Amino acid sequence: MLISASRGYKELPTLTAISLDQINRALSSRLTPWTDLATAATPSTSTARPTRPPSQSPSLPPPFQTSSPHHPGLPPSPRGRYPFILYPSSFIRACPNSNATHRTHHKLVSIHRKTRFNLPRQGLRKMSTLTAITSSTSPLASAFKKQKVAIIGSGNWGSAIARIAGNNALKLSDIFEYEVSMYVYEEDFNGKPLTQVINELHENPKYLPGIKLPENVVAYPSAAKAAEGATLLVFVLPHQFIRSVCTQLKGQINPEAYAISMIKGVEVKDGEISIFADVIEETLGVECAALSGANIANEVAEDKFSETTIGHREGEKGKEAAELFFKLFDTPTFKVGMIEDVAGVSLCGALKNVVAIAAGFTDGLGWGDNAKAAIMRIGLLEMKRFSEEFFKGVKPETFTETSAGVADLITTCFGGRNRKCAEAFVKTGKSFEVLEKELLNGQKLQGSETAREIHEFLKARGKVDDYPLFKAVYSIAYEGIDAHDLTSKL
Ligand SMILES: NC(=O)C1=CN([C@@H]2O[C@H](COP(=O)(O)OP(=O)(O)OC[C@H]3O[C@@H](n4cnc5c(N)ncnc54)[C@H](O)[C@@H]3O)[C@@H](O)[C@H]2O)C=CC1
Ligand SMILES: O=C(CO)COP(=O)(O)O
């Protein structure tokens, strides 16, 4: 794979010959002992790669005796050329001229020294606007540009994940920009706009009360404003709102951004079914992964241990995106696993909500733990069979071995909102619509809606009877069938 730096830059024909592999190897060893810096004023033709012993931590360089007008603090460039050297990132940060352009410039210098291209000073200056490199989605670009994160959604899970992303952005400040923006669907909270309350209190008292958000998480009432300049977009809205938010974002986002869907639901439209990672990719033209797992939001927000799963696309871009999202979310108490299976991860998250409704029915009926375990076993098999029948390339192990699969099914059937509302459905006879309003304080139920959507999809194919548990949930929720009939056809 070659990098093209052709745009307006005739003096550097050799640049087109730098392979990504070379550059990545250079970047992976970009820390250099300061002793190398001390000899920087002497041009070197050495090809040896400067490396830092693992035990040695970087410290500030000795002050340079001389300075150049362009970069005070850098050694003069002998014969108009920079010496062969890699500049440590801490030095780049310490450069008195340390604005974003110069940091990029220094890193370019580092790479070109490493790859033994002696570039004229004038050329290097032009390279600070080298859009062909800095705007690409290559690993090189990731190394140059800090990632700007936007969380699209701010409900119960949206706020919990914004807290994690905000904290990790602060910790990994060489990878992520300081601010993590968060789209908040504006509403009134005790006479004030919710965005204002969140930005003043650094807490979302409506959807995640009692949990502090880091100060770098900033709420915006416009999805387009929150997503402005973002290179990493995190979609975490109830599934019924994704289409309308994607419409607001269409044409407004960086087409080279990576997205991830944390939405647990599917879209059924004109008899076809889609996962939301695909909807996002198709509507916005950005590569989209999926994250799902056994992740009751309040527990995650309290740093109680849990695992989660990123499902990523195949190929280099898919892996690169997953690795960036891994860095954004992984913490000692929120352990991220990865699998190349966007559809499997997404479908696990959507379909387990239907099974959790059935599990809630068993609670409402007072049937006990054995009955619930049976529902979960049968439900897992239907989830897997449905996914394999209607989606290509879904991996069986996603269902049986990852947090997105069996683990999320268990947690939702015991501790989720779907279970809770389904129990109340049996006990009170009220509709799910009413119970959502009464019990969830603005949070949204996904399972009852998904049961209806799956039924519509299967009906269009004459396959309703092939999935008896999904059918029973639909019939009880929407057709007035007695909950006691839940297991009669299983
Ligand atoms: N809460 C949880 O424990 C977990 C939830 N999830 C999934 O994450 C997704 C998001 O869930 P939560 O963050 O919990 O949301 P939530 O259930 O708290 O829903 C409320 C959110 O919807 C927003 N909203 C209401 N009307 C809207 C509209 N017309 N347009 C746009 N937004 C609107 C509200 O402002 C609020 O942010 C769902 O698919 C859910 O299944 C995934 C893992 C855990
Ligand atoms: O997805 C969840 C846990 O992983 C939350 O499930 P509920 O929407 O049923 O609360």
Side-chain angles (χ1 to χ4, degrees):
M1 191 169 172
L2 299 179
I3 289 175
S4 165
S6 55
R7 237 183 283 174
Y9 201 70
K10 294 197 189 75
E11 297 101 311
L12 282 174
T14 45
L15 191 61
T16 56
I18 304 173
S19 75
L20 270 185
D21 187 43
Q22 267 178 298
I23 289 169
N24 286 334
R25 267 187 277 122
L27 285 173
S28 68
S29 64
R30 68 195 159 120
L31 285 180
T32 309
W34 284 112
T35 48
D36 287 359
L37 267 179
T39 61
T42 315
S44 165
T45 53
S46 166
T47 55
R49 189 194 308 190
T51 52
R52 183 166 64 84
S55 58
Q56 188 181 339
S57 57
S59 55
L60 279 175
F64 291 113
Q65 301 301 311
T66 52
S67 65
S68 80
H70 187 49
H71 294 102
L74 266 184
S77 148
R79 294 195 300 280
R81 288 169 190 274
Y82 284 84
F84 181 87
I85 193 160
L86 288 173
Y87 293 106
S89 54
S90 51
F91 175 65
I92 290 164
R93 279 195 294 275
C95 173
N97 238 340
S98 179
N99 57 37
T101 308
H102 276 77
R103 282 185 214 164
T104 305
H105 175 101
H106 279 302
K107 284 183 185 171
L108 282 166
V109 172
S110 307
I111 285 158
H112 288 286
R113 299 285 62 72
K114 182 64 198 142
T115 47
R116 300 190 70 207
F117 289 93
N118 282 327
L119 305 175
R121 179 187 287 264
Q122 184 57 31
L124 285 171
R125 204 167 293 148
K126 282 193 183 175
M127 282 182 61
S128 61
T129 56
L130 228 187
T131 50
I133 285 181
T134 54
S135 69
S136 92
T137 53
S138 69
L140 176 62
S142 315
F144 285 5
K145 285 174 86 173
K146 285 198 191 182
Q147 302 294 326
K148 169 78 178 74
V149 180
I151 312 285
I152 308 299
S154 54
N156 188 230
W157 184 223
S159 302
I161 212 70
R163 173 180 172 272
I164 289 181
N167 282 332
N168 275 2
L170 291 176
K171 275 190 206 126
L172 302 173
S173 60
D174 54 336
I175 301 175
F176 301 108
E177 280 191 16
Y178 175 79
E179 181 181 303
V180 169
S181 49
M182 179 170 78
Y183 162 58
V184 175
Y185 178 75
E186 195 66 288
E187 61 186 282
D188 179 87
F189 184 81
N190 292 344
K192 275 187 180 179
L194 184 58
T195 40
Q196 188 188 333
V197 175
I198 292 173
N199 287 335
E200 282 170 8
L201 288 182
H202 303 294
E203 181 183 329
N204 185 343
K206 172 83 191 271
Y207 294 105
L208 191 62
I211 301 287
K212 281 288 165 204
L213 301 175
E215 295 196 3
N216 58 328
V217 172
V218 179
Y220 291 90
S222 146
K225 191 83 193 141
E228 202 172 273
T231 54
L232 297 178
L233 290 154
V234 179
F235 285 86
V236 57
L237 289 155
H239 80 281
Q240 43 274 60
F241 307 127
I242 290 295
R243 270 280 166 196
S244 69
V245 171
C246 279
T247 306
Q248 293 166 45
L249 289 176
K250 202 168 177 176
Q252 307 279 322
I253 60 168
N254 175 358
E256 291 167 351
Y258 287 137
I260 195 163
S261 162
M262 299 199 175
I263 301 141
K264 293 185 176 175
V266 284
E267 181 180 80
V268 173
K269 209 169 131 205
D270 306 326
E272 296 300 324
I273 189 166
S274 311
I275 55 165
F276 282 101
D278 289 349
V279 171
I280 290 163
E281 265 196 15
E282 280 153 26
T283 323
L284 302 177
V286 292
E287 171 132 340
C288 190
L291 181 148
S292 192
N295 302 142
I296 302 276
N298 290 53
E299 294 179 17
V300 174
E302 288 168 29
D303 284 332
K304 291 178 176 167
F305 181 81
S306 69
E307 296 179 305
T308 200
T309 312
I310 289 178
H312 64 84
R313 306 280 180 191
E314 60 185 18
E316 277 310 306
K317 268 180 88 177
K319 274 193 214 126
E320 189 196 15
E323 275 159 22
L324 284 168
F325 285 119
F326 176 93
K327 285 178 185 142
L328 184 62
F329 298 127
D330 188 68
T331 76
T333 54
F334 188 63
K335 302 244 359 132
V336 179
M338 296 200 264
I339 188 163
E340 191 187 294
D341 185 5
V342 178
V345 166
S346 304
L347 289 161
C348 280
L351 298 174
K352 61 85 192 175
N353 284 337
V354 181
V355 183
I357 297 277
F361 289 158
T362 66
D363 285 340
L365 293 161
W367 280 2
D369 293 340
N370 295 341
K372 197 191 272 191
I375 290 296
M376 288 162 64
R377 185 194 69 80
I378 295 163
L380 183 62
L381 294 181
E382 284 196 19
M383 286 164 57
K384 184 165 163 285
R385 194 150 44 79
F386 180 94
S387 304
E388 287 170 346
E389 182 171 356
F390 299 112
F391 288 82
K392 260 210 305 248
V394 162
K395 293 183 171 161
E397 61 265 33
T398 303
F399 293 79
T400 51
E401 293 176 25
T402 72
S403 179
V406 63
D408 194 13
L409 179 68
I410 294 169
T411 208
T412 310
C413 287
F414 283 93
R417 300 167 295 186
N418 286 290
R419 186 221 64 80
K420 176 177 165 178
C421 290
E423 180 182 17
F425 178 93
V426 173
K427 286 183 170 165
T428 66
K430 292 179 181 173
S431 71
F432 278 106
E433 213 183 340
V434 169
L435 290 166
E436 181 188 77
K437 286 200 179 76
E438 285 184 5
L439 299 179
L440 298 186
N441 189 32
Q443 293 182 34
K444 296 289 170 191
L445 209 52
Q446 308 278 266
S448 48
E449 206 35 33
T450 305
R452 195 185 52 70
E453 288 156 340
I454 294 294
H455 181 80
E456 182 189 323
F457 173 77
L458 289 172
K459 196 172 167 197
R461 280 162 180 72
K463 292 201 170 234
V464 168
D465 290 334
D466 292 359
Y467 296 90
L469 182 66
F470 292 167
K471 181 184 178 186
V473 170
Y474 175 81
S475 301
I476 294 165
Y478 296 104
E479 294 181 326
I481 302 295
D482 191 324
H484 287 90
D485 284 345
L486 178 65
T487 50
S488 62
K489 302 264 167 35
L490 300 182

